[in-house]
Amino acid sequence: MRVLRSAAGLETAPARVRHGRGWYRGDCHVHSSASSGGELTPEQVAADARAAGLHFLAATEHNTSVTHDTWSRQTDDDLLVILGQEVVTRTGHWLALGLPPGQVVDWRYGVRDDVIGRRLDEVHRAGGLCVAAHPHAPYPSGTFMYPYQGFDAVEVWNGPWSSDVPWQADNEAALAEWGRSLAADIHQGRWRPATGNSDTHLKGQLGVPHTVVLAEDLSADEILAAIRAGRSWIAGSTEVELSFTVTAGDRSAGIGERLATGDEPAVARAEVRGVPFGTVSFHTEQGRVHHASLTSSGAAVVEWRVSAADSAFVRVEVRRPDGHMAALSNPVVLV
């Protein structure tokens, strides 16, 4: 693998890993021992990502770029590593994804300092993506107090931390808040996609959950563009598969896309695998509007009729028998 060197002198991996258009699984919130509470090396995290079947990850150490050089060397033909940072401020955490090697985003402020907009602009000027992280995390500084304005996406599903439960009350709150905002945001012409990441600190946490994106290529620019556009769904494990489309007449749209229904009735179709005895549900601006149970095989095709007159969007959730999330999608927008 040819290695490039940045102006700061840090080694960085090639800009592109060529694989073409497809669905790619990745975890955009991971830590090594350089972060508080982290116990793994970048090499160990990268090896775990390959073993888990992930295609990309984002290195998001707490307020430092000290491991950017090491993380960059983990990229190869099987795994793309995107450089980033978890910006840990006094009143909330957020992810800066797609940073140049060596760049550190300032974190020494809170919501009352009125500087968050400048920090977001700084990341955007560098071509990066800004994600509100675990907005309802129940610990000091973890609860996200900033407005979502200026952020590109919201992390509605964060990993289990020290718990054995992969779906917790703070995730339920984040999902409900995001779901309630969709109709108004879509009406105003700009909605923020949902993402899900493990927030890995310890062995065995990687990929629980992770985000599955439809990208034009396995490269940092294309992966971030897909997340920004909402062409993605969230999986609780690599065993879970979800396909979701909405069709009206001879027109069809997938996750994160817009469907011109032309006043025709549309059919939402979800195909699920890997969730035995689970439940598939469709959600619109009217809340949960339809659900169906899965059999012991964990596989099914579920359909439901919808129209743009009824809702500006439709999205899917897949839950396990205990009610914990197994997968959820970003919406298909109806016009």
Side-chain angles (χ1 to χ4, degrees), residues 13-17 19 25-27 49-50 54-59 71 74-83 217-224:
R16 296 177 68 83
V17 180
H19 286 267
R25 293 177 180 263
D27 193 335
R50 295 183 182 93
L54 299 183
H55 304 103
F56 66 92
L57 58 81
W71 279 114
Q74 307 315 307
T75 287
D76 59 21
D77 288 344
D78 297 320
L79 182 70
L80 170 71
V81 177
I82 300 169
L83 298 181
D217 198 1
L218 184 57
S219 71
D221 287 347
E222 296 297 346
I223 293 295
L224 295 179

Side-chain angles (χ1 to χ4, degrees), residues 17-85:
V17 180
R18 296 183 180 276
H19 286 267
R21 180 179 173 84
W23 288 96
Y24 296 103
R25 293 177 180 263
D27 193 335
C28 285
H29 190 167
V30 304
H31 299 278
S32 75
S33 56
S35 292
S36 175
E39 295 184 355
L40 305 171
T41 66
E43 292 87 350
Q44 289 173 318
V45 176
D48 288 347
R50 295 183 182 93
L54 299 183
H55 304 103
F56 66 92
L57 58 81
T60 54
E61 309 285 19
H62 298 148
N63 297 340
T64 183
S65 64
V66 67
T67 54
H68 275 188
D69 185 19
T70 306
W71 279 114
S72 291
R73 292 198 298 269
Q74 307 315 307
T75 287
D76 59 21
D77 288 344
D78 297 320
L79 182 70
L80 170 71
V81 177
I82 300 169
L83 298 181
Q85 174 188 337

Side-chain angles (χ1 to χ4, degrees), residues 79-258:
L79 182 70
L80 170 71
V81 177
I82 300 169
L83 298 181
Q85 174 188 337
E86 181 173 7
V87 186
V88 179
T89 80
R90 294 193 299 271
T91 55
H93 302 186
W94 57 280
L95 306 177
L97 307 179
L99 295 178
Q103 180 173 343
V104 178
V105 181
D106 186 29
W107 68 93
R108 292 160 293 192
Y109 49 85
V111 66
R112 291 185 295 170
D113 296 312
D114 197 27
V115 300
I116 187 68
R118 296 202 295 273
R119 301 288 81 81
L120 300 179
D121 289 344
E122 175 185 337
V123 174
H124 288 146
R125 285 196 300 271
L129 197 71
C130 302
V131 181
H134 46 63
H136 291 272
Y139 54 85
S141 88
T143 301
F144 195 80
M145 301 303 293
Y146 303 100
Y148 286 153
Q149 182 180 358
F151 284 88
D152 302 293
V154 179
E155 188 182 68
V156 304
W157 188 353
N158 187 260
W161 286 63
S162 59
S163 170
D164 293 329
V165 180
W167 178 258
Q168 302 182 63
D170 58 303
N171 294 319
E172 199 74 69
L175 175 62
E177 179 182 48
W178 173 78
R180 284 193 300 268
S181 72
L182 271 180
D185 289 346
I186 288 171
H187 179 70
Q188 293 171 5
R190 182 164 183 241
W191 58 278
R192 290 170 186 82
T195 67
N197 305 295
S198 70
D199 204 351
T200 285
H201 286 70
L202 310 175
K203 185 73 174 178
Q205 296 179 334
L206 191 71
V208 184
H210 62 274
T211 300
V212 189
V213 305
L214 178 60
E216 297 301 319
D217 198 1
L218 184 57
S219 71
D221 287 347
E222 296 297 346
I223 293 295
L224 295 179
I227 294 173
R228 184 181 291 110
R231 298 194 304 271
S232 61
W233 59 277
I234 306 170
S237 80
T238 54
E239 298 175 355
V240 178
E241 295 282 354
L242 173 65
S243 174
F244 176 47
T245 57
V246 183
T247 301
D250 60 355
R251 302 173 303 283
S252 184
I255 299 170
E257 297 178 339
R258 296 169 64 90

Side-chain angles (χ1 to χ4, degrees), residues 21 23 214 230-233 241-261 265-272 280-284 300-307 313-318 328-334:
R21 180 179 173 84
W23 288 96
L214 178 60
R231 298 194 304 271
S232 61
W233 59 277
E241 295 282 354
L242 173 65
S243 174
F244 176 47
T245 57
V246 183
T247 301
D250 60 355
R251 302 173 303 283
S252 184
I255 299 170
E257 297 178 339
R258 296 169 64 90
L259 177 66
T261 64
V267 176
R269 185 179 192 272
E271 183 174 351
V272 181
V280 181
S281 57
F282 293 107
H283 298 251
T284 71
V301 175
V302 181
E303 294 185 344
W304 179 72
R305 297 181 75 83
V306 64
S307 71
F313 70 91
V314 58
R315 63 179 183 86
V316 173
E317 293 181 10
V318 185
L328 65 95
S329 79
N330 276 299
V332 175
V333 176
L334 306 178

